[in-house]
Amino acid sequence: MDAVFLLEQALNGLGYGLMLFLLAAGLTLVFGIMDTLNLAHGALFMAGGYVSATVHTHTGSFLLAVVVAMAVTVALAALLEAALVRRLYARDHLSQVLATFGVVLVADDVVKYLWGPSPIMADTPSALSGPVELFGFLHYPAYRLLLLGAGLGAALALYLLVNHTRLGMWVRAGASNRAMAEWMGVRVRRVFALVFAIGAALAALAGALVAPITAVQVGMGESILIPALVVIVIGGIGSVRGALVASLLVGLVDTAGRALLPPLLREVLSPSLAADVGPAVASIAMYLLMAGVLVFKPSGLFPARA
């Protein structure tokens, strides 16, 4: 393992972490403000991926595909919030989990009906299909650099929104003390609807961006939702800063575990044993990270209600 390989894996980990942040940021705001656990967030991620891949295939414009995916997903999220989620505000977490997980199952069947059960592939934009030379020695895929830039740009925009706008002030007030915010005149439900739409847009953006580098398939929302929930627990519920830091940590730890652990184990274990132990330990690396953080910070790194 040389320096080029390590740097490449570090960039891959940062890119994966930033994509997790796009999904986790909206989810943690929704959970932090309205105390509503929305497992259907993963279905919005899947919707963004499918719509983007379809539009890109038919139009050839990746930018148009991303914009349409975000618009369609926000519209679906507004319908979901008005028809179902709004009725769950006053219910317990078990009811919220059951209802929104039901939405996930329905969404999977709708996708099978519209696109079929087989995965679909989205093309990488032709202008970004080649590598870019970094630091004079590393040839890194241009599209993955776009992922890094989009994730950092979204993080900066969300930071400015939450910390330097009136809407952000209402969001922080609702996350800190919902009852007091309502008594002070903040229309928390309207704020939640806006945050729900923003979270849906971020989830759709993540789905649209990962579509060209992974198969767009039924169930992709559930598989990414588990790491997103781990990010929320590590970062602290309701904290955007915590979601960003935790996403980067999870991305780096998960990527390092999968890329570096198997060859390191082969140095001290037999090849057959390393082949069995390496992937198993790598698959639980982010959960070990979560357990380690919670030992010292039971509320997460940056809890909004600290």
Side-chain angles (χ1 to χ4, degrees):
M1 291 184 290
D2 55 13
V4 174
F5 177 77
L6 293 176
L7 180 58
E8 183 178 9
Q9 295 307 315
L11 291 174
N12 288 341
L14 291 175
Y16 176 54
L18 289 170
M19 291 303 100
L20 277 180
F21 169 74
L22 292 179
L23 189 65
L27 192 58
T28 193
L29 284 177
V30 169
F31 196 10
I33 295 173
M34 300 302 294
D35 199 27
T36 302
L37 190 54
N38 176 30
L39 296 186
H41 204 72
L44 301 177
F45 169 81
M46 180 175 65
Y50 268 96
V51 174
S52 174
T54 302
V55 174
H56 189 198
T57 300
H58 286 84
T59 66
S61 173
F62 179 70
L63 179 59
L64 177 62
V66 172
V67 172
V68 172
M70 293 176 67
V72 170
T73 305
V74 168
L76 292 174
L79 180 61
L80 176 65
E81 195 273 337
L84 175 65
V85 179
R86 188 176 299 175
R87 305 173 188 272
L88 299 174
Y89 292 162
R91 305 294 293 272
D92 58 85
H93 289 162
L94 179 59
S95 298
Q96 295 166 2
V97 168
L98 291 174
T100 55
F101 186 70
V103 174
V104 172
L105 300 179
V106 172
D108 286 346
D109 285 339
V110 170
V111 166
K112 290 179 183 178
Y113 176 77
L114 295 177
W115 283 279
S118 301
I120 63 175
M121 300 302 296
D123 295 330
T124 303
S126 57
L128 300 172
S129 59
V132 174
E133 185 175 327
L134 300 176
F135 312 112
F137 60 87
L138 174 62
H139 293 277
Y140 196 71
Y143 186 77
R144 288 189 177 270
L145 289 179
L146 172 66
L147 299 185
L148 286 169
L152 290 173
L156 177 60
L158 200 56
Y159 167 79
L160 295 175
L161 175 68
V162 172
N163 293 280
H164 297 283
T165 66
R166 184 177 296 273
L167 174 61
M169 179 180 64
W170 294 337
V171 168
R172 298 196 308 275
S176 299
N177 192 320
R178 175 187 171 186
M180 181 62 71
E182 290 178 336
W183 291 339
M184 295 297 292
V186 177
R187 297 182 179 180
V188 176
R189 289 195 175 185
R190 181 173 297 181
V191 172
F192 173 70
L194 292 174
V195 172
F196 197 86
I198 293 172
L202 292 174
L205 177 61
L209 290 177
V210 302
I213 61 175
T214 185
V216 180
Q217 57 188 339
V218 177
M220 61 184 292
E222 295 94 294
S223 61
I224 197 67
L225 188 62
I226 295 175
L229 292 174
V230 171
V231 165
I232 292 174
V233 172
I234 293 175
I237 294 173
S239 172
V240 176
R241 176 177 59 167
L244 177 59
V245 174
S247 296
L248 296 178
L249 287 175
V250 169
L252 290 172
V253 167
D254 185 75
T255 302
R258 298 180 188 279
L260 305 182
L261 190 58
L264 288 176
L265 289 177
R266 283 195 292 268
E267 298 293 330
V268 296
L269 301 176
S270 65
S272 60
L273 184 58
D276 292 334
V277 174
V281 176
S283 64
I284 64 172
M286 64 178 175
Y287 304 108
L288 295 176
L289 172 65
M290 179 177 66
V293 170
L294 293 182
V295 168
F296 300 99
K297 300 278 289 185
S299 298
L301 296 175
F302 305 99
R305 296 191 177 103

